[in-house]
Amino acid sequence: TLARPVVKAFYARICRAAQSANARIYISTPYLIPDNEMLTVLGYAAKSGVDVRIITPEIPDKWYVSVITRSFYRDLETLGVKVYEYKGGFNHAKMFLSDDKSAVVGTINLDYRSLYLHFECATYMYKTSCIKDIKADFDDMFENRCHRITHDDINNRSFWSRFMSVILRTIAPLL
């Protein structure tokens, strides 16, 4: 069907925008199960001085996805990516912003099912006036509605969470 190639094209566009970013990459997603390509792209960007930030929900709708998402925090921190959790509710926004020039807003999560199995839709924007509103929304979330995950937060995860991360991460591509 047409939907799957379109979603893959959006994913490729997100990767290209991340690779060409000079100042910032902001991502908001409720389901963060990145593949190696996405981790590599975000890591290269962060190591080259780009401010890479990801927002995930503090309060999940699916406990197992939250456990897997949090299992990537150490990898992301090591790569120089700043991870934030949206506090006080479930943030279901799926947004991507690169250098205040391009943005994607839609239903695409950063996980295998969304990218390869589901029929998702999104709008890609380039140099449009609404990108400043998306940036303002991100700025407000970072300042008022999120807390940054620290190295201590990652190290202080409970035994149960770490144990379940090891188990669930093996099947993460299926979720």
Side-chain angles (χ1 to χ4, degrees):
T1 67
L2 179 62
R4 287 189 185 103
V6 169
V7 171
K8 289 177 188 175
F10 270 111
Y11 181 68
R13 184 64 214 139
I14 288 170
C15 287
R16 281 193 303 278
Q19 289 169 331
S20 65
N22 294 312
R24 73 184 50 79
I25 298 168
Y26 294 166
I27 299 169
S28 176
T29 181
Y31 311 117
L32 176 67
I33 306 175
D35 60 13
N36 285 335
E37 181 181 9
M38 182 58 71
L39 287 172
T40 300
V41 166
L42 295 176
Y44 280 141
K47 299 278 186 208
S48 68
V50 175
D51 181 15
V52 182
R53 301 181 189 189
I54 298 176
I55 299 172
T56 64
E58 179 182 61
I59 300 171
D61 65 338
K62 295 175 179 71
W63 69 269
Y64 53 90
V65 175
S66 178
V67 169
I68 295 169
T69 292
R70 289 177 175 148
S71 78
F72 284 99
Y73 287 0
R74 184 176 308 282
D75 299 333
L76 292 164
E77 179 195 41
T78 301
L79 293 169
V81 175
K82 299 172 190 123
V83 178
Y84 293 76
E85 285 188 346
Y86 184 88
K87 56 188 177 186
F90 178 64
N91 180 21
H92 204 251
K94 292 122 178 163
M95 300 188 300
F96 172 87
L97 176 72
S98 175
D99 282 348
D100 306 340
K101 291 189 303 190
S102 64
V104 176
V105 177
T107 65
I108 302 171
N109 296 298
L110 290 181
D111 65 359
Y112 180 85
R113 292 175 63 84
S114 189
L115 294 170
Y116 297 100
L117 300 176
H118 292 167
F119 296 98
E120 306 284 1
C121 64
T123 299
Y124 174 74
M125 295 162 268
Y126 183 72
K127 293 185 178 180
T128 64
S129 61
C130 64
I131 290 176
K132 70 179 179 333
D133 297 324
I134 294 167
K135 169 77 166 46
D137 191 33
F138 269 115
D139 289 342
D140 178 61
M141 283 192 287
F142 290 130
E143 187 172 326
N144 300 311
R145 296 182 276 156
C146 291
H147 69 274
R148 183 166 173 194
I149 300 301
T150 65
H151 186 72
D152 287 341
D153 293 329
I154 295 167
N155 286 336
N156 292 332
R157 289 178 55 216
S158 70
F159 170 78
W160 171 252
S161 178
R162 291 190 320 269
F163 176 76
M164 290 305 296
S165 291
V166 171
I167 303 298
L168 292 173
R169 194 144 167 191
T170 62
I171 62 166
L174 304 174
L175 298 176

